[in-house]
C-alpha cells in the first residue's frame, strides 16, 4: 500500500515480507529474479522510464533493464539513496521526496517511452516496456484549465498542495475540491497513457502486444481519519485497477471477479508469454480467473514501517476481510458485501487466543504467516547480503500460540 514495496512486489512476484524492500534503508537481494531479468533472459529488449524517487535503481529496480531512465524532471542523486541504504540517513531522501511531489512528468514519460518504442520496432525484437506514471500522486496540481473543468464552481482557497500537512479533514466543500483536483490529475495522466497506446497502434504493435495497466496503491481522504497512504490497509489504500489486453488470448471487454494482487502479475505475464518462472515460488498466475471463473483464492496484504511502529497483515477471503495490527494486537473483521466502506468492524483486542470467537479469522492470518515462512526457506540469497528474511520473535510467538510452530522453532 505504498510505492516502494508495492512496485517491488510487482517486479519480483513476492510480497514485502519476502522481497524485504519495505523501507528506504533496504535494497533487493540480487539473487532474486525480477520480471525484467526473466524477460531479458528470453531475448526481450527491456526499458523502464520512471518518475518518482521510490523507483530509483539504488533499490534494485534497474535489474534486467538495458535502459532505465529518470523522467521526473528532478535531480535524484544516487548519494542520497546510498546514504539511506548504508547509514540509515534519510535527511536528503526526505527532501527529494518532498520536491518530487511538485510538477508534472507525464509528457516526459510519453516522449521518452514513445521514442524508445520507435527504436524497438526498427530492431524487430520482442520488448518489455515499463512506464511509471507519478502525477496522480499527491500533491494534486493538475494543469489549471483541467482543474477548472473538474470543479468550475469552486471559489474557496483550498489547493492540492501539501495535502499531507492537513491535520484534520477540511470542510466538506474544500475536501470535494481536493478530490476534484485528484480526479483532474488522473485524467491528465490517463490522456497521456491513451497517447502511448495510440503510439502502439500507429506502430502496428497492438495485435501482438500484452498491455498491463495497474497501480501501486490508492490514497485516503479521511475515510478512516487518515490522509495519503502508509497508514492503513483499508480498501481506499489498497484497492487498485488491473486491466490487461492481449488480442486473441485475453477475453476482450470482460470483467472478471476474484482477488488479485500485484505479486501475481509477474507469474501472469510469464504464463501468457511462455517465459520460465524463477526456481522458487512466487505469486500464482491469474489465468484461472478468466478461464474458469475461479474466485476462490485468498489475497494477502501487508504494511510494515519500522520507523512508525506500523506492522499490519490483512487477509481477504471472499467478502470477508481481516486486518491484524501486530503492534496494537487488534483484529478487525469486515463483511465487504454488507459494509464495503469498512465502517462497522467486528473487533477483538489482545494476543492470539485459540479459543475465542475470532479463531477462524485469526487462523487466516496465522496460516498466511506460516506459509510465508515456508516460502522464505526456498529463496536464494547472495552471500553476505543483508536480507533480513527471518521472522520476528513476535510473529514466531503468534504462530506458536496458534499451533503452527513448535516451541523450539518459536525460540530460535
Amino acid at each position: 500500500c505504498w510505492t516502494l514495496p508495492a512496485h517491488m512486489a510487482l517486479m519480483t512476484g513476492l510480497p514485502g515480507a519476502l522481497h524485504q524492500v519495505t523501507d528506504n534503508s533496504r535494497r533487493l537481494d540480487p539473487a532474486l529474479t525480477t520480471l525484467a531479468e526473466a524477460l531479458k533472459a528470453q531475448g526481450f529488449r527491456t526499458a523502464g522510464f520512471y518518475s518518482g524517487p521510490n523507483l530509483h535503481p539504488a533499490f534494485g529496480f534497474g535489474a534486467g533493464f538495458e535502459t532505465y531512465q529518470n523522467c521526473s524532471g528532478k535531480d535524484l542523486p544516487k548519494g542520497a539513496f546510498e546514504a539511506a541504504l548504508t547509514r540509515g540517513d534519510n535527511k536528503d531522501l526526505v527532501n527529494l521526496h518532498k520536491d518530487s511531489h511538485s510538477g508534472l512528468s507525464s509528457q516526459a514519460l510519453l516522449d521518452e517511452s514513445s521514442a524508445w518504442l520507435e527504436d524497438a520496432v526498427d530492431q524487430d525484437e520482442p520488448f518489455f516496456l515499463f512506464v511509471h506514471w507519478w502525477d496522480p500522486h499527491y500533491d494534486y496540481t493538475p494543469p489549471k484549465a483541467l482543474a477548472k473543468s473538474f470543479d468550475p464552481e469552486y471559489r474557496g482557497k483550498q489547493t492540492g498542495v501539501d495535502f499531507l500537512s492537513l491535520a484534520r479533514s477540511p470542510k466538506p466543500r474544500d475536501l470535494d475540491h481536493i478530490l476534484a483536483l485528484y480526479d483532474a490529475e488522473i485524467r491528465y495522466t490517463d490522456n497521456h497513457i491513451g497517447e502511448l497506446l495510440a503510439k502502439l497502434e500507429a506502430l502496428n504493435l497492438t495485435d501482438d502486444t500484452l498491455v498491463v495497466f495497474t497501480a501501486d496503491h490508492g490514497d485516503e481522504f479521511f475515510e478512516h481519519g487518515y490522509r495519503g497512504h502508509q497508514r492503513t490497509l483499508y480498501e481506499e489504500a489498497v484497492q487498485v485497477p488491473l486491466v490487461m489486453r492481449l488480442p486473441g488470448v485475453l477475453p476482450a471487454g470482460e470483467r472478471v471477479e476474484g482477488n488479485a494482487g500485484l505479486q501475481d502479475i509477474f507469474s501472469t505475464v510469464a504464463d501468457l508469454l511462455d517465459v520460465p518462472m524463477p526456481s522458487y515460488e512466487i505469486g500464482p498466475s491469474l489465468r484461472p480467473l478468466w478461464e474458469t471463473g475461479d474466485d476462490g483464492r485468498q489475497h494477502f496484504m501487508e504494511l510494515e514501517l519500522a520507523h512508525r511502529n506500523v506492522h499490519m497483515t490483512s487477509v481477504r477471503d471472499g467478502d470477508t476481510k481481516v486486518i491484524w495490527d501486530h503492534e496494537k494486537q487488534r483484529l478487525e473483521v469486515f463483511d465487504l458485501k454488507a459494509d464495503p466502506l469498512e465502517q462497522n468492524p467486528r473487533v477483538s483486542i489482545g494476543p492470539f487466543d485459540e479459543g475465542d470467537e475470532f479463531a477462524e479469522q485469526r487462523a487466516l492470518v496465522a496460516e498466511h504467516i506460516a506459509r510465508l515462512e515456508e516460502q522464505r526457506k526456498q529463496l536464494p540469497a547472495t552471500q553476505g547480503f543483508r536480507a533480513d528474511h527471518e521472522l520476528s520473535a513476535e510473529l514466531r510467538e503468534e504462530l506458536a500460540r496458534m499451533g503452527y510452530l513448535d516451541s523450539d522453532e518459536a525460540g530460535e
Side-chain angles (χ1 to χ4, degrees):
C1 66
W2 67 284
T3 304
L4 179 60
H7 275 89
M8 198 57 80
L10 173 71
M11 288 298 182
T12 64
L14 297 169
L18 297 181
H19 68 60
Q20 284 293 300
V21 189
T22 54
D23 64 44
N24 292 323
S25 67
R26 298 181 179 182
R27 72 181 89 206
L28 185 68
D29 187 335
L32 299 177
T33 301
T34 67
L35 179 58
E37 288 176 313
L39 292 168
K40 184 179 180 182
Q42 296 302 304
F44 282 67
R45 297 190 64 199
T46 56
F49 298 93
Y50 70 99
S51 49
N54 276 325
L55 271 292
H56 197 277
F59 298 116
F61 285 111
F65 285 109
E66 299 165 20
T67 297
Y68 194 70
Q69 183 175 329
N70 171 23
C71 295
S72 68
K74 310 288 184 179
D75 184 25
L76 300 177
K78 187 176 180 180
F81 297 88
E82 290 298 334
L85 288 163
T86 58
R87 302 193 304 275
D89 180 0
N90 279 306
K91 181 180 65 174
D92 291 339
L93 198 52
V94 167
N95 291 331
L96 287 180
H97 274 276
K98 289 180 179 179
D99 186 44
S100 74
H101 296 158
S102 64
L104 296 168
S105 58
S106 289
Q107 188 62 51
L109 287 164
L110 175 63
D111 292 343
E112 296 297 335
S113 57
S114 295
W116 187 87
L117 270 178
E118 291 177 355
D119 182 63
V121 169
D122 292 338
Q123 299 296 322
D124 194 27
E125 294 175 332
F127 65 85
F128 171 44
L129 172 63
F130 168 66
V131 187
H132 166 244
W133 308 88
W134 178 252
D135 286 337
H137 201 281
Y138 53 72
D139 288 344
Y140 309 122
T141 54
K144 290 183 179 180
L146 197 56
K148 187 71 173 178
S149 71
F150 270 75
D151 197 2
E153 306 302 323
Y154 184 69
R155 299 292 182 269
K157 297 181 179 180
Q158 182 67 56
T159 72
V161 177
D162 292 332
F163 176 62
L164 286 191
S165 69
L166 299 177
R168 60 179 63 88
S169 180
K171 295 178 180 179
R173 184 63 185 92
D174 291 332
L175 181 59
D176 285 345
H177 182 62
I178 294 175
L179 288 165
L181 295 173
Y182 180 43
D183 288 341
E185 277 204 334
I186 293 172
R187 170 60 62 84
Y188 177 75
T189 305
D190 191 50
N191 290 344
H192 287 81
I193 293 172
E195 290 190 50
L196 183 59
L197 294 176
K199 171 63 75 170
L200 278 178
E201 188 168 1
L203 295 173
N204 295 316
L205 295 171
T206 301
D207 289 344
D208 58 358
T209 298
L210 170 63
V211 176
V212 181
F213 168 72
T214 190
D216 51 351
H217 59 76
D219 264 348
E220 300 183 56
F221 293 91
F222 297 97
E223 294 91 343
H224 289 87
Y226 299 96
R227 70 279 187 272
H229 44 278
Q230 290 191 334
R231 299 297 195 284
T232 78
L233 291 174
Y234 296 123
E235 292 294 281
E236 55 265 25
V238 300
Q239 191 177 59
V240 297
L242 174 58
V243 184
M244 299 187 294
R245 183 182 74 185
L246 183 58
V249 178
L250 294 171
E254 185 173 331
R255 180 170 183 168
V256 299
E257 300 296 329
N259 292 318
L262 293 178
Q263 62 263 36
D264 305 330
I265 292 176
F266 186 145
S267 57
T268 304
V269 170
D271 182 8
L272 289 169
L273 302 183
D274 196 25
V275 170
M277 301 278 279
S279 59
Y280 48 88
E281 180 185 351
I282 65 173
S285 171
L286 297 173
R287 183 186 291 270
L289 293 184
W290 70 80
E291 284 195 345
T292 66
D294 175 18
D295 61 352
R297 71 176 66 201
Q298 296 172 344
H299 185 61
F300 308 97
M301 295 157 282
E302 56 198 355
L303 173 59
E304 181 181 4
L305 288 166
H307 66 283
R308 287 186 180 151
N309 293 320
V310 173
H311 185 193
M312 300 177 185
T313 300
S314 177
V315 183
R316 180 166 176 174
D317 185 11
D319 292 322
T320 298
K321 181 176 176 182
V322 180
I323 301 176
W324 171 244
D325 188 320
H326 299 264
E327 298 293 328
K328 297 179 180 178
Q329 299 279 285
R330 174 184 172 92
L331 186 81
E332 293 181 291
V333 181
F334 298 92
D335 179 347
L336 293 180
K337 186 174 183 179
D339 181 25
L341 300 181
E342 299 169 297
Q343 297 298 306
N344 301 295
R346 295 168 59 210
V347 177
S348 175
I349 298 177
F352 273 34
D353 182 352
E354 195 172 352
D356 74 8
E357 64 174 303
F358 293 89
E360 182 179 349
Q361 290 81 12
R362 292 180 186 277
L364 288 175
V365 177
E367 288 166 3
H368 165 60
I369 295 170
R371 194 175 301 118
L372 286 177
E373 172 70 348
E374 290 304 310
Q375 279 186 262
R376 182 194 64 78
K377 294 174 182 177
Q378 302 176 25
L379 296 180
T382 302
Q383 187 173 4
F385 187 86
R386 186 175 69 85
D388 296 334
H389 282 308
E390 293 294 333
L391 290 179
S392 68
E394 292 79 8
L395 288 184
R396 287 184 173 277
E397 287 177 10
E398 290 171 13
L399 287 172
R401 202 175 289 121
M402 292 294 293
Y404 291 99
L405 292 177
D406 62 34
S407 57
D408 290 337
E409 289 180 293
E412 285 179 356

